[in-house]
Amino acid sequence: SSTNELIFGVIADVQWADADDGYNYGRTVKRCFRGSLRTLDRAVDWWNNLPSTLNANANLKTNAFTQTKTNTPLHYIAQLGDLIDGINAAEKLNQRDSALQSALDILERAPAKPVNIVGNHELYNFNRLELAEATWLQHGDAEVLDPYQLSLMGFTENDPRRIESVELLAKMNPNVHPDGRGGDWLAGFKDGDYNRRFVPYNGGFGSTQLSWLRKELASASEMGERVVVMSHVILHPLACGGTTMAWDYEEALAILGNTTSFSMETDVETETPVVAVLSGHDHRGNHHRCPQTGIHHCTFSSPLNKGDDGFAFGLVRMTENGMEIRGPRVDDLLPDVEGRPKMEVCDGDDITGPCEQITLPFRSRNTSTPAERNG
């Protein structure tokens, strides 16, 4: 592989527990709790069996976050949140620490370090103080958003972020009890109403984090960089069923797609540097390409869906012109929905052996930086 490519493993919503198979809240979707962990184990085996490519990422930015082995094509593993299920919490199985360690032990075998991000099931098991001290929550130089900076979960009762969240839900969905548990959450909402997102298992980015994102994207635009954003919770309603977006997804999308805010000269229009948003959360998975910005919103499917029979894992290869998603069975990872490019067979190369892949093209762009265009 070329040194100007970025290649990383991907898996979302492992959400494992040492428990018999169960169902979602509506008892409409099966959850294969133990089979999901075994799928993670198979994913690590697949990543370890990728062709050796000595120092493939030698020229990539790494800060203090580098791959474990120098002969892997992978820069890191994107683990997009919900590594363990909420039933591991103290009031249920009381196995959160052992469940987490079992999953981390498997990831430790991977050829590259994981980018582990916060999902709602992390917050069912750990409070914010515990997560702040968690050494396994590493992001390196990846652009990772925390969609629970506004949340009913994890914060102390008097934390300003929790107070803001209680007030927001009281306004947008008074069905929700402030404790985040009681109430008939969706009573009175019609199907297709995007306000159905105002429930406790979603959350918000918050104004502070969104301001940080705007500055990060401005810097990337000035440097002429491509940006991939990761968030457990989804940013676009058409990349899910319309209910599992962040509370403030509209504000986030406005920042991602605002072609005038990414220049130091505010009267100069520039293109958004964002090419893709990678998420989990909606276990069915989905894909939507925004026609206005060209951004690919990829919602990856959960290994819980099929357990031992599934292959909801793979890798992402970023090039100048597009993004390849490869895996043993890519439809298990990113479902074949309307508008998603069709699966192709990859015969094998210096990145993977024989597998399946889909290619998501990027919009063409002016290769000069805003500074160069402005003289």
Side-chain angles (χ1 to χ4, degrees):
S1 63
S2 171
T3 55
N4 63 359
E5 296 176 344
L6 175 64
I7 305 171
F8 54 92
V10 65
I11 194 166
D13 295 81
V14 174
Q15 210 173 304
W16 103 277
D18 187 10
D20 294 338
D21 293 350
Y23 291 87
N24 64 342
Y25 295 113
R27 297 195 62 79
T28 57
V29 180
K30 188 177 182 180
R31 290 181 169 175
C32 304
F33 291 117
R34 296 188 181 105
S36 188
L37 185 71
R38 291 190 289 266
T39 302
L40 176 63
D41 199 48
R42 288 187 287 119
V44 171
D45 287 342
W46 190 79
W47 294 322
N48 277 321
N49 287 328
L50 297 174
S52 296
T53 309
L54 187 62
N55 292 324
N57 297 299
N59 292 343
L60 288 170
K61 289 191 307 179
T62 59
N63 295 339
F65 191 84
T66 58
Q67 65 269 17
T68 304
K69 302 177 182 178
T70 58
N71 63 344
T72 177
L74 300 179
H75 185 45
Y76 53 78
I77 307 294
Q79 189 280 109
L80 297 173
D82 284 3
L83 187 56
I84 65 174
D85 194 87
I87 64 173
N88 289 294
E91 61 270 24
K92 297 181 180 178
L93 294 179
N94 193 24
Q95 296 178 355
R96 66 167 201 177
D97 294 328
S98 61
L100 175 64
Q101 194 58 53
S102 294
L104 293 179
D105 286 346
I106 292 174
L107 285 170
E108 181 66 26
R109 293 198 300 107
K113 290 185 178 181
V115 172
N116 294 312
I117 70 178
V118 172
N120 49 307
H121 283 262
E122 275 73 33
L123 290 165
Y124 297 152
N125 285 283
F126 303 96
N127 62 42
R128 276 290 172 179
L129 179 59
E130 292 169 319
L131 292 177
E133 297 174 348
T135 57
W136 56 275
L137 282 178
Q138 304 177 78
H139 298 161
D141 54 3
E143 294 289 354
V144 174
L145 295 178
D146 181 349
Y148 294 100
Q149 280 298 302
L150 294 180
S151 177
L152 298 184
M153 302 178 290
F155 298 119
T156 59
E157 291 291 323
N158 60 351
D159 190 292
R161 293 165 293 185
R162 189 182 191 283
I163 293 172
E164 181 180 351
S165 302
V166 170
E167 293 174 349
L168 177 64
L169 289 186
K171 176 182 177 181
M172 303 305 299
N173 185 0
N175 296 322
V176 176
H177 191 278
D179 66 7
R181 300 182 181 184
D184 184 0
W185 295 346
L186 299 181
F189 285 101
K190 296 180 179 179
D191 290 345
D193 186 343
Y194 289 166
N195 281 343
R196 288 161 60 98
R197 72 185 185 276
F198 289 103
V199 289
Y201 53 74
N202 298 325
F205 301 112
S207 58
T208 300
Q209 185 173 201
L210 290 178
S211 295
W212 168 84
L213 176 63
R214 185 180 291 106
K215 293 176 182 177
E216 286 287 297
L217 296 184
S219 176
S221 181
E222 290 296 314
M223 296 295 292
E225 296 175 339
R226 300 279 205 185
V227 175
V228 175
V229 174
M230 300 182 193
S231 166
H232 178 70
V233 178
I234 297 149
L235 272 70
H236 202 295
L238 297 182
C240 62
T243 62
T244 48
M245 306 87 71
W247 294 341
D248 48 359
Y249 81 89
E250 293 167 306
E251 292 91 331
L253 285 181
I255 293 172
L256 264 58
N258 187 348
T259 57
T260 60
S261 67
F262 300 127
S263 172
M264 304 303 281
E265 301 291 336
T266 56
D267 60 339
V268 176
E269 182 170 315
T270 67
E271 61 186 12
T272 172
V274 180
V275 293
V277 177
L278 309 184
S279 302
H281 199 41
D282 187 329
H283 293 179
R284 296 166 296 182
N286 212 317
H287 168 263
H288 173 70
R289 187 181 191 186
C290 177
Q292 288 79 28
T293 63
I295 297 173
H296 291 278
H297 293 264
C298 299
T299 304
F300 293 107
S301 301
S302 170
L304 279 173
N305 296 339
K306 296 184 177 181
D308 293 318
D309 297 325
F311 294 86
F313 58 85
L315 66 76
V316 174
R317 178 193 185 197
M318 307 286 304
T319 68
E320 175 63 26
N321 298 317
M323 179 172 70
E324 295 175 4
I325 299 175
R326 300 190 186 189
R329 193 186 298 161
V330 292
D331 288 353
D332 281 3
L333 179 61
L334 192 72
D336 186 13
V337 296
E338 183 179 356
R340 195 213 73 176
K342 294 299 181 183
M343 181 272 292
E344 301 172 335
V345 175
C346 174
D347 293 329
D349 53 23
D350 61 343
I351 298 171
T352 63
C355 63
E356 298 178 354
Q357 74 175 48
I358 57 175
T359 302
L360 306 178
F362 295 156
R363 63 186 179 276
S364 59
R365 67 172 182 174
N366 187 332
T367 57
S368 62
T369 66
E372 291 170 337
R373 291 193 293 273
N374 294 330

